[in-house]
Amino acid sequence: MAMSTHLSKISHNAAIILLLTTGLVVVLAGTEISGKPNIIIIMADDLGFDDVSFRGSNNFLTPNIDALAYSGVILNNLYTAPMCTPSRAALLTGKYPINTGMQHYVIVNDQPWGLPLNETTMADIFRGNGYRTSLIGKWHLGMSQRNYTPTLRGFDYHLGYLGAYVDYYNQSYEQVSKGYRGHDFRENLKPNHEHVDKYVTDILTDAAVREIDDHAAKNNSKPLFLLLNHLAPHAANDADPMQAPADELSGFEYIRDETHRYYAAMVSRLDKSVGHVVDALARQDMLQNSILLFLSDNGGPTLGEHATTASNYPLRGQKNSPWEGGIRSSAAIWSTEFERLGSVWKQQIYIGDLLPTLAAAAGISPDPDLRLDGLNLWSALKYGYESVEREIVHVIDEEAPEPHLAYTRGKWKVVSGTTNSGRYDGWLGERVTTEVDPRSQEYEALIQNTSVWLQLQKVSGGERNISGLRQQARIECPATTEDEHTPCLPLEAPCLFDIEADPCEQNNLYEEYKNTTVFQDLWQRVQQFTAQAHPPNNKPGDPSCNPAFYHNEWTWWQDETPSNSAFSLKNSIFLILLLNSWWIF
């Protein structure tokens, strides 16, 4: 039953108005459920914008993610940072990476830095307001000191890895350039080897299901904040980057390219994870008082480092670029609070907005002294408003070999500079239209037979125009010729786009607007952010990190004493270097 229908039966007294403004009334078929909602966030790693089939691609299908999207609200303009460490920092702090020193590249496993310890995380805030907080999966916000790690940054429980990525089966991370290799998988603060040889997507899914089951059995007096950070579909170590179970691969034999076939299977296993999580919430009668969000941390890599054949088509660029393909995430959110379930929300929303927005849903007001950059968009999301003009600093990286930035205010986007000498500046990853998932012939029936669709329909009901929503969620870019638009050369001059009319960034309007207040005001604001930016926290690699010194475990090496055998090896290497230096002199 819609919120407005239910409230029409209730007198509009001050108490009800107060409850509505703090987001504490959840309506289920005419029944009020009090208390803070459970919040479950499922984050994919390096998933391309076009790699969920609710965007319209039939190359391979994601029926469970699609069912969540059509049942809830498709977030058509959710923006992230272009790489995973900055993006995850923005999610957990509600701040732009330039304001926390997290803006430059990512944390490589051997580097001794992390999210500053004086930053309050989303987990800190929710735990401080009565939530049980759990992180399943990837961290990637620092590991050189124990104090950087999840259970000392607000999470009651963590099962997963601390660094950038791991092998899907043995949970090892190899830093080939330095010759380092070690196991990186822990339960809270202890190395965990019991899952070796099991597929990591399944490990993390099972752990999330256990958390939901255990919460219902033991901790139901508290609401649950669960962040499920998947490895999928990020590439694994360079020697064997694409990994998927044989039973999953068998469904994609129609895809000729082996790498892309593996990628489709990796995404498919991720899609099934969403189904298992929704099933667990339904089984424990938690769905009706839960907010469920799915997103990716950034765009997918079609080319270059850790390339997987991910597609952000028809958006321009990819991961680690300032273009829409690097910073625009395919996302969907569901809650019985929403008045417009089964809709496409076009409001611009930044990943840093999720902290204050979800906090507002739980009736939590973050301390103003935190000085969040994120906006509380809960009311706009709840009622379907799309009129908030959002200013977003996507990236300002002055320390890169090629300084670059991307900034949006309203419909205007400024890009200056780029990455990788412009290698990622084009329109990448267009689908091979002849390779079509056989299930697409009965697409709507496929969606309606998923457990996600069936479980969410039980709770929220309502008609859904699946074909109409799928069409609305597509990004259409008109075919143009060179004569019909002005190219952008971001290494020569800034570029300006009307991102509403031109989401594919085909027509550079800089020459037309460069002397007007439109561009001058935007550029002045960019310069202000640049001047006030926190210096990057990045530090060079530290050879003391070598897992060989710590029983072949990636660990917080600045807090650890090396094992005896490893310590002897380390000293032997030092002695050899010393003797060589003496011989030279």
Side-chain angles (χ1 to χ4, degrees):
M1 180 179 294
M3 176 75 76
S4 57
T5 303
H6 177 64
L7 291 181
S8 66
K9 301 177 181 179
I10 303 174
S11 60
H12 294 279
N13 55 53
I16 292 297
I17 294 173
L18 178 61
L19 286 173
L20 281 173
T21 58
T22 55
L24 294 178
V25 174
V26 179
V27 178
L28 171 62
T31 303
E32 293 177 24
I33 301 173
S34 61
K36 294 179 172 64
N38 304 299
I39 296 172
I40 295 88
I41 301 174
I42 303 175
M43 180 180 280
D45 195 347
D46 284 9
L47 180 69
F49 183 80
D50 193 43
D51 292 327
V52 289
S53 49
F54 71 75
R55 291 289 179 198
S57 173
N58 286 325
N59 180 239
F60 59 82
L61 301 183
T62 51
N64 291 293
I65 295 170
D66 293 11
L68 171 65
Y70 300 139
S71 299
V73 176
I74 295 172
L75 305 178
N76 233 32
N77 291 291
L78 187 145
Y79 286 97
T80 68
M83 299 193 80
C84 46
T85 291
S87 191
R88 292 160 199 273
L91 170 70
L92 287 185
T93 64
K95 297 181 180 181
Y96 295 131
I98 59 166
N99 290 333
T100 59
M102 305 298 289
Q103 67 269 40
H104 179 56
Y105 201 61
V106 299
I107 301 174
V108 183
N109 278 33
D110 70 337
Q111 294 177 350
W113 62 287
L115 182 68
L117 298 176
N118 62 346
E119 293 293 342
T120 299
T121 70
M122 180 187 287
D124 289 322
I125 291 170
F126 279 98
R127 184 164 69 175
N129 283 273
Y131 275 77
R132 171 172 170 77
T133 55
S134 298
L135 170 65
I136 306 296
K138 179 171 177 170
W139 176 239
H140 207 189
L141 290 173
M143 59 184 278
S144 60
Q145 299 175 26
R146 188 181 290 103
N147 285 341
Y148 281 136
T149 62
T151 53
L152 284 86
R153 304 308 301 268
F155 287 98
D156 295 310
Y157 178 76
H158 174 231
L159 179 77
Y161 54 105
L162 299 174
Y165 54 88
V166 291
D167 182 273
Y168 277 77
Y169 288 99
N170 63 35
Q171 295 104 53
S172 70
Y173 170 83
E174 297 179 13
Q175 193 168 333
V176 177
S177 62
K178 304 290 180 67
Y180 304 150
R181 183 182 187 279
H183 177 260
D184 182 13
F185 205 80
R186 291 177 179 266
E187 184 168 22
N188 296 326
L189 299 178
K190 295 182 179 180
N192 183 299
H193 289 262
E194 68 180 83
H195 302 294
V196 170
D197 295 330
K198 186 176 180 182
Y199 195 63
V200 75
T201 303
D202 297 341
I203 297 169
L204 301 180
T205 301
D206 292 348
V209 169
R210 280 196 307 274
E211 275 297 285
I212 292 167
D213 290 343
D214 289 349
H215 177 79
K218 303 172 185 176
N219 302 295
N220 56 14
S221 62
K222 289 184 174 184
L224 175 65
F225 173 75
L226 172 60
L227 178 56
L228 173 53
N229 281 349
H230 271 292
L231 169 62
H234 194 291
N237 293 304
D238 292 346
D240 188 15
M242 309 302 291
Q243 300 178 345
D247 64 323
E248 206 69 56
L249 276 168
S250 65
F252 300 97
E253 292 178 354
Y254 63 90
I255 297 177
R256 292 183 294 274
D257 180 80
E258 183 180 35
T259 301
H260 190 51
R261 189 185 318 128
Y262 269 87
Y263 183 71
M266 292 157 75
V267 175
S268 181
R269 204 67 158 207
L270 169 70
D271 180 73
K272 288 178 178 174
S273 175
V274 173
H276 291 310
V277 170
V278 172
D279 284 346
L281 291 167
R283 184 173 61 251
Q284 299 298 345
D285 293 324
M286 292 170 61
L287 265 181
Q288 62 269 26
N289 195 28
S290 292
I291 299 171
L292 183 57
L293 169 67
F294 175 86
L295 75 161
S296 178
D297 60 344
N298 45 249
T302 308
L303 304 175
E305 187 176 26
H306 306 309
T308 58
T309 74
S311 175
N312 306 295
Y313 188 82
L315 301 178
R316 185 175 187 171
Q318 64 165 50
K319 175 185 177 178
N320 191 22
S321 80
W323 312 104
E324 293 289 288
I327 59 177
R328 201 159 167 181
S329 175
S330 277
I333 189 168
W334 178 91
S335 167
T336 55
E337 284 279 296
F338 300 149
E339 287 207 348
R340 295 185 60 199
L341 288 169
S343 66
V344 177
W345 198 48
K346 297 180 181 179
Q347 169 68 47
Q348 290 176 343
I349 180 170
Y350 178 60
I351 192 169
D353 297 339
L354 295 174
L355 191 161
T357 298
L358 295 174
I364 299 169
S365 298
D367 188 337
D369 290 341
L370 293 177
R371 302 181 66 182
L372 302 183
D373 296 306
L375 298 184
N376 170 14
L377 296 175
W378 178 247
S379 291
L381 178 58
K382 181 176 176 179
Y383 298 112
Y385 305 147
E386 298 175 338
S387 56
V388 180
E389 184 176 90
R390 186 70 179 90
E391 171 187 62
I392 303 175
V393 179
H394 303 295
V395 57
I396 296 178
D397 190 350
E398 292 291 298
E399 298 298 318
E402 300 165 303
H404 59 280
L405 63 87
Y407 167 83
T408 293
R409 186 169 68 196
K411 71 176 186 176
W412 298 109
K413 180 181 178 184
V414 176
V415 175
S416 182
T418 189
T419 59
N420 290 275
S421 301
R423 187 182 177 198
Y424 305 152
D425 287 3
W427 292 264
L428 312 171
E430 184 173 1
R431 293 299 182 205
V432 179
T433 56
T434 57
E435 295 185 342
V436 174
D437 193 317
R439 297 173 295 173
S440 64
Q441 297 296 321
E442 301 291 338
Y443 178 76
E444 290 201 20
L446 175 70
I447 302 303
Q448 292 171 338
N449 284 318
T450 62
S451 61
V452 173
W453 178 271
L454 297 172
Q455 299 291 3
L456 297 182
Q457 282 291 96
K458 286 180 185 178
V459 176
S460 55
E463 295 294 324
R464 304 286 188 273
N465 182 348
I466 291 176
S467 296
L469 289 169
R470 199 181 194 205
Q471 183 60 37
Q472 288 180 55
R474 294 176 70 102
I475 301 296
E476 301 286 352
C477 300
T480 59
T481 65
E482 291 293 328
D483 295 334
E484 292 176 309
H485 66 268
T486 304
C488 166
L489 302 174
L491 295 175
E492 297 180 10
C495 303
L496 178 68
F497 300 99
D498 179 344
I499 214 67
E500 288 183 5
D502 180 24
C504 298
E505 298 167 294
Q506 296 175 321
N507 189 26
N508 177 19
L509 302 174
Y510 173 70
E511 289 297 328
E512 181 179 347
Y513 284 91
K514 65 181 181 180
N515 295 320
T516 69
T517 56
V518 169
F519 178 78
Q520 294 298 327
D521 287 350
L522 295 169
W523 192 247
Q524 183 178 13
R525 186 65 170 149
V526 167
Q527 299 308 309
Q528 183 180 358
F529 277 113
T530 302
Q532 296 173 354
H534 187 296
N537 301 320
N538 303 65
K539 293 182 180 179
D542 178 1
S544 297
C545 77
N546 191 344
F549 303 148
Y550 311 100
H551 305 287
N552 296 312
E553 297 283 348
W554 284 100
T555 190
W556 31 83
W557 67 89
Q558 293 184 324
D559 297 335
E560 292 285 345
T561 301
S563 63
N564 290 335
S565 60
F567 186 67
S568 298
L569 173 63
K570 184 178 178 182
N571 284 342
S572 297
I573 294 171
F574 175 76
L575 183 59
I576 290 169
L577 293 172
L578 185 63
L579 289 173
N580 284 340
S581 300
W582 174 82
W583 177 257
I584 291 170
F585 286 110

